[in-house]
Amino acid sequence: MIDWDSIDTVLLDMDGTLLDLHFDNFFWTEHIPREYARRNNLPEQEASDALMARISQNRGTLEWYCVDYWSEQLDLDIPALKRELKHMVRLRPHVPEFLDALRAGAREVLLVTNAHRKTLDIKMEQVDITPWFHRIVVSHELAAAKEEQAFWHALQQHHPFNPARTLLIDDTETVLEAAQTYGIAHLLTLLQPDSQRQKRIDTRFPGIHHFDEIMPGAVRSP
């Protein structure tokens, strides 16, 4: 599936790729509606329907991923509420072995995430994967979400890479489409980002279930 000898740079998403997306799905579809309903004296289903409609309007934008934005919009302390559930943050299977194998070679390995820095910090308190990466890239700090071309141009400016020799692994297909438009040649998705939901069967990009399917070897000498 992957010709590792053709790849110099590996860009890895966090939520739904390296981390189980169950935390995020549970947080936004169950924990937040329950808390919002309690604080506003609303039936939980009514609160859930209203929140999902409101949140979906911002999908794919930087605001959609911004905990400060939603804290203000919902009058809730989103980081504090996330910290209440941080015990639910889990690595997906075979992630440590995969990251070990990547760092054993000569490839540059970057974490590229739309998660807000506050969310990243909370999750790394539970499962710190940052030592495996050469660089940590947070989209908020580049002023554009990964769904936008501006993100990829900014990434190139701050951390130069050859798109033709770059692999991006991400569970969000709109992100993969944006990367493809930018020219990134090697694209891969996850078939089951949330371990508690069914495996996806209609992905538009090649997909894997777990990382043991694509373990890299060392880069061969020319």
Side-chain angles (χ1 to χ4, degrees), residues 22-148:
H22 178 60
F23 171 89
D24 302 274
N25 285 336
F26 180 86
F27 180 81
W28 288 106
T29 64
E30 297 189 43
H31 193 59
I32 286 296
R34 189 178 302 125
E35 186 64 19
Y36 187 80
R38 186 184 70 80
R39 300 266 184 108
N40 293 278
N41 196 27
L42 294 171
E44 191 170 321
Q45 188 59 52
E46 180 181 335
S48 179
D49 292 344
L51 285 175
M52 292 306 101
R54 191 171 178 180
I55 290 171
S56 64
Q57 293 176 356
N58 293 274
R59 185 179 296 275
T61 68
L62 208 55
E63 287 79 10
W64 196 67
Y65 299 102
C66 183
V67 295
D68 291 338
Y69 175 82
W70 290 114
S71 291
E72 179 181 348
Q73 291 292 309
L74 305 179
D75 194 25
L76 296 172
D77 188 341
I78 299 299
L81 291 168
K82 286 197 172 194
R83 198 175 295 279
E84 290 178 0
L85 297 182
K86 74 174 186 177
H87 62 279
M88 294 178 61
V89 176
R90 294 284 186 271
L91 291 175
R92 298 188 74 257
H94 307 291
V95 165
E97 305 97 297
F98 180 67
L99 294 176
D100 275 340
L102 282 178
R103 284 305 302 264
R107 302 173 188 89
E108 187 171 42
V109 186
L110 280 70
L111 179 68
V112 289
T113 180
N114 275 330
H116 191 277
R117 176 64 70 171
K118 291 178 183 178
T119 296
L120 174 67
D121 291 344
I122 291 168
K123 291 181 175 181
M124 293 307 97
E125 291 173 9
Q126 189 71 13
V127 288
D128 188 8
I129 56 175
T130 58
W132 272 295
F133 294 94
H134 294 98
R135 294 180 177 85
I136 308 296
V137 180
V138 175
S139 62
H140 292 74
E141 294 164 7
L142 298 186
K146 291 187 292 182
E147 288 88 340
E148 304 172 64

Side-chain angles (χ1 to χ4, degrees), residues 195-214:
S195 64
Q196 304 304 305
R197 296 189 179 184
Q198 289 188 340
K199 186 176 178 179
R200 301 187 294 181
I201 59 174
D202 58 349
T203 58
R204 298 189 295 276
F205 294 88
I208 58 169
H209 193 208
H210 295 312
F211 286 102
D212 58 343
E213 299 169 38
I214 55 166

